[in-house]
Amino acid sequence: MNGLPARATVREVGLRDGLQSIATVLPTERKREWLRDAVAAGQREIEVGSFVPSRLLPQMADTAEVLAYAKTLPGLVASVLVPNLKGAERALEGDADLMILPLSASHAHSLANLRKTPDEVIAELARIRAARDASGRKTLIEGGVGTAFGCTLQGAVEPAEVLRLMQALLDAGADRVSLADTVGYADPLSVSRLFEQALKIAGDRFCCGHFHDTRGLALANVLAAAQLGVTRFDASLAGIGGCPHAPGASGNASTEDLGFMLGAMGIDTGLDMAALLALRAKVAGWLQGEQTNGALWRAGLPKTFRPVTPTAATAH
Amino acid sequence: MNGLPARATVREVGLRDGLQSIATVLPTERKREWLRDAVAAGQREIEVGSFVPSRLLPQMADTAEVLAYAKTLPGLVASVLVPNLKGAERALEGDADLMILPLSASHAHSLANLRKTPDEVIAELARIRAARDASGRKTLIEGGVGTAFGCTLQGAVEPAEVLRLMQALLDAGADRVSLADTVGYADPLSVSRLFEQALKIAGDRFCCGHFHDTRGLALANVLAAAQLGVTRFDASLAGIGGCPHAPGASGNASTEDLGFMLGAMGIDTGLDMAALLALRAKVAGWLQGEQTNGALWRAGLPKTFRPVTPTAATAH
């Protein structure tokens, strides 16, 4: 098996993509504990929340406070999701290390979800870039192209359109771009084909694959992307999250299963898997009544698994 | 992504590996209905049971009757598991199309589970081959090397030992061989490495990969093997089964998720996915109270999934 990277980062999105999709509102103190334990388990990149109006997502109302705490954790790259310029201004105010602007490649999904066309989102990114540059902050800007493999509303999304939008995000001032299979429509072959083109366009500004496990293929899709040398994947502890269009469906790839897969293949993730599983158990306890996912937590690590000790070198 | 085959077979093992691992004893009439519906959904290879003493596995007590029914279904390759010569004699009596003799590459697991060393199992295969040849039956003999990636008792299992045993099975008269990750210790890279060697040794007599989803990697492991051109994978409807060493752990790869992954990549499986999902719902209903697995059934097929119509050509 060729092309696998020597190191990879599992970027935690459970505190954002996970928590925003479930009913439980986790108290700020527990989010702090989650962050603290995650960093102790070797996680170095965490999406800590979303700067959306709190009337829309009460789960994210404390994002500024959580971000401020995350900034105190040494070595942590703290990112936030920002839906628009207003959110970006809050991210800059909080000195986030990274802000992620989602764009939906499905025009139908974009209009329904963001009430903007994809090209209007690109114009917003240009305004965000201007605001960032004027602010003097070092906050990086990531353009995340979602529904990149199709969506429940529109059905197919043309790869050419996904790539056009990705190029447009870069042209508008995104520091980097990522691709997301928002609703679990991707398969390993479609991932391989689209990511290969994306890497040609964005080079090392292509930064991350985000795969939902809606139909069980998240880890196989990660494998397909990893074989192209992609080194960063979003995942959610306990696989929390879900799909608003498919009640009961799994959420993101689960952090612990993904960390296990990569680590078992000898890819250095910097994760302390035992500590991560302990955190998984804790968070699942906080979220009782919510659906959690993933398989590793039941079976535990194989006897043959060689633990990887978190090292500063993996905080890349 | 290179190496993917144009066609592949999802071999159903739910009626054997699945049912033997759960408490519910499915009545014979329901097994018949399952077989009938599975064939109607395009499944062409099904492991219908196991010729073990019924005091050990009451779930398998009706295997002769189920096999007799399976033999009436046109186009179906009906296989049975046989633990020894005695089981093989029953398989020959029932004119099974294929009998599978399991061998555990972990000596500790082999002694604990089969009360034989791996080499004693190979001697048994030679006796089975002689019995088959004397019987005049066309029943094929498959040697299935289990715990090929390690086991819970012994820990590591050396790939060289797995390959030695596979070669010995062929030498002793197995028509074909397969590899199984019995307890979910494999990862895509270890699969790729071991299967590459296995294919060199066995060539087109290497017939199947059997991956448990104990730690969530079954589909990624299938992907790794499929990239080497492997065209047959065991799977269990609703992912039933489990791992005796890890209570609550997932069983086999789920037939419907695997069929979806392969079909989405344009690999012809001959499966009618809608019919398969309907059967999944029916079987899950019969098994209420038992743990079922898999993700596709919750979310349904993507709008963009192009159905594959079962064809005679795919009954390979």
Side-chain angles (χ1 to χ4, degrees):
Chain A
M1 181 170 289
N2 296 321
L4 292 176
R7 299 198 308 205
T9 299
V10 178
R11 183 165 69 179
E12 181 61 48
V13 299
L15 289 124
R16 199 276 303 167
D17 203 357
L19 291 182
Q20 77 170 35
S21 309
I22 62 181
T24 302
V25 179
L26 207 63
T28 309
E29 181 46 38
R30 292 206 152 154
K31 293 187 183 182
R32 283 197 204 99
E33 188 173 346
W34 183 345
L35 285 170
R36 197 160 57 232
D37 285 8
V39 169
Q43 295 199 272
R44 290 292 173 267
E45 302 194 15
I46 304 180
E47 202 176 77
V48 303
S50 180
F51 281 124
V52 287
S54 57
R55 64 181 162 77
L56 293 181
L57 284 177
Q59 305 97 318
M60 299 291 114
D62 59 358
T63 294
E65 206 178 337
V66 176
L67 173 60
Y69 177 74
K71 293 288 294 177
T72 69
L73 297 171
L76 178 64
V77 176
S79 58
V80 288
L81 187 136
V82 298
N84 49 33
L85 177 61
K86 199 167 172 190
E89 285 165 349
R90 298 180 66 194
L92 291 168
E93 202 175 305
D95 197 21
D97 298 304
L98 170 69
M99 53 187 168
I100 301 165
L101 180 75
L103 174 153
S104 192
S106 154
H107 289 234
H109 184 265
S110 187
L111 289 167
N113 217 38
L114 308 167
R115 296 188 192 185
K116 284 178 190 149
T117 66
D119 291 284
E120 284 167 349
V121 174
I122 286 161
E124 192 79 353
L125 189 130
R127 285 187 284 273
I128 290 172
R129 172 63 187 252
R132 192 275 307 270
D133 290 352
S135 73
R137 294 288 199 193
K138 292 194 170 124
T139 307
L140 288 173
I141 303 168
E142 177 176 323
V145 182
T147 62
F149 297 87
C151 95
T152 317
L153 295 172
Q154 178 174 317
V157 169
E158 285 305 313
E161 174 66 356
V162 174
L163 297 169
R164 178 188 77 81
L165 293 166
M166 168 173 284
Q167 181 67 69
L169 283 168
L170 290 167
D171 293 345
D175 298 301
R176 53 198 220 180
V177 287
S178 54
L179 285 177
D181 175 27
T182 312
V183 294
Y185 268 37
D187 64 77
L189 187 58
S190 63
V191 168
S192 189
R193 286 176 175 159
L194 186 62
F195 275 54
E196 191 171 18
Q197 294 303 312
L199 287 162
K200 276 184 195 160
I201 287 173
D204 60 10
R205 293 201 287 166
F206 185 86
C207 75
C208 190
H210 176 110
F211 299 106
H212 279 250
D213 201 32
T214 320
R215 291 171 178 83
L217 305 193
L219 294 189
N221 291 336
V222 165
L223 178 64
Q227 287 179 269
L228 299 170
V230 173
T231 59
R232 187 180 284 102
F233 301 99
D234 284 348
S236 182
L237 197 68
I240 58 168
C243 175
H245 307 292
S250 303
N252 286 275
S254 94
T255 303
E256 60 277 17
D257 289 9
L258 175 54
F260 165 60
M261 182 176 81
L262 296 172
M265 294 195 293
I267 297 173
D268 181 6
T269 62
L271 293 172
D272 175 338
M273 288 302 302
L276 196 64
L277 285 171
L279 176 57
R280 196 264 184 220
K282 184 189 279 189
V283 170
W286 293 340
L287 299 178
Q288 272 184 19
E290 302 286 358
Q291 185 186 330
T292 60
N293 300 296
L296 181 68
W297 70 278
R298 288 186 197 268
L301 290 164
K303 276 186 179 176
T304 49
F305 187 81
R306 194 166 56 89
V308 179
T309 312
T311 62
T314 55
H316 53 112
Chain B
M1 179 168 292
N2 296 322
L4 292 176
R7 299 198 306 204
T9 298
V10 178
R11 183 165 68 180
E12 181 62 48
V13 300
L15 288 125
R16 199 279 301 168
D17 203 356
L19 291 182
Q20 79 170 36
S21 310
I22 63 181
T24 302
V25 179
L26 208 61
T28 310
E29 181 45 39
R30 290 203 154 155
K31 292 187 183 180
R32 283 197 205 100
E33 187 173 346
W34 182 343
L35 285 171
R36 199 161 53 232
D37 284 9
V39 170
Q43 294 199 273
R44 289 293 173 267
E45 302 194 14
I46 304 180
E47 202 176 76
V48 303
S50 180
F51 280 124
V52 287
S54 57
R55 65 181 162 78
L56 293 181
L57 284 176
Q59 305 96 320
M60 298 291 114
D62 59 357
T63 293
E65 205 179 337
V66 176
L67 174 60
Y69 178 74
K71 293 287 295 177
T72 70
L73 296 171
L76 177 63
V77 176
S79 58
V80 288
L81 187 135
V82 299
N84 49 33
L85 177 62
K86 198 168 171 189
E89 285 166 349
R90 298 181 66 194
L92 291 167
E93 202 176 305
D95 197 21
D97 298 304
L98 170 69
M99 52 187 168
I100 302 166
L101 180 76
L103 175 153
S104 192
S106 154
H107 289 234
H109 183 266
S110 188
L111 288 167
N113 218 39
L114 306 168
R115 298 187 191 183
K116 286 179 189 148
T117 66
D119 290 283
E120 285 168 347
V121 174
I122 286 160
E124 192 78 353
L125 189 128
R127 286 186 284 273
I128 289 172
R129 172 63 186 253
R132 192 274 308 270
D133 290 352
S135 73
R137 294 288 199 192
K138 294 195 170 122
T139 307
L140 288 173
I141 304 168
E142 178 175 324
V145 182
T147 61
F149 297 88
C151 94
T152 317
L153 295 171
Q154 176 174 319
V157 169
E158 285 307 312
E161 175 65 356
V162 174
L163 297 170
R164 178 187 78 79
L165 292 166
M166 169 174 284
Q167 180 68 68
L169 283 168
L170 290 167
D171 293 345
D175 297 302
R176 51 199 221 180
V177 287
S178 55
L179 285 176
D181 176 28
T182 312
V183 295
Y185 268 37
D187 64 77
L189 186 57
S190 62
V191 168
S192 189
R193 285 176 176 160
L194 186 61
F195 275 54
E196 191 172 18
Q197 294 303 312
L199 287 163
K200 276 182 194 160
I201 288 172
D204 59 12
R205 293 202 287 166
F206 185 86
C207 77
C208 190
H210 176 111
F211 299 106
H212 279 250
D213 201 34
T214 320
R215 290 169 178 84
L217 305 194
L219 293 189
N221 291 338
V222 165
L223 179 64
Q227 287 179 269
L228 298 170
V230 174
T231 58
R232 186 180 284 103
F233 302 99
D234 284 347
S236 182
L237 198 69
I240 59 168
C243 176
H245 307 292
S250 303
N252 286 275
S254 93
T255 303
E256 60 277 17
D257 289 10
L258 174 54
F260 166 60
M261 182 177 81
L262 296 173
M265 295 196 292
I267 296 172
D268 181 5
T269 61
L271 294 172
D272 176 337
M273 289 302 301
L276 196 64
L277 285 170
L279 176 57
R280 196 264 183 220
K282 183 189 279 189
V283 170
W286 293 339
L287 300 176
Q288 272 185 22
E290 302 287 355
Q291 185 186 330
T292 60
N293 299 296
L296 181 69
W297 69 278
R298 286 186 197 270
L301 290 164
K303 276 188 180 177
T304 49
F305 186 80
R306 193 166 56 89
V308 179
T309 311
T311 60
T314 56
H316 55 112

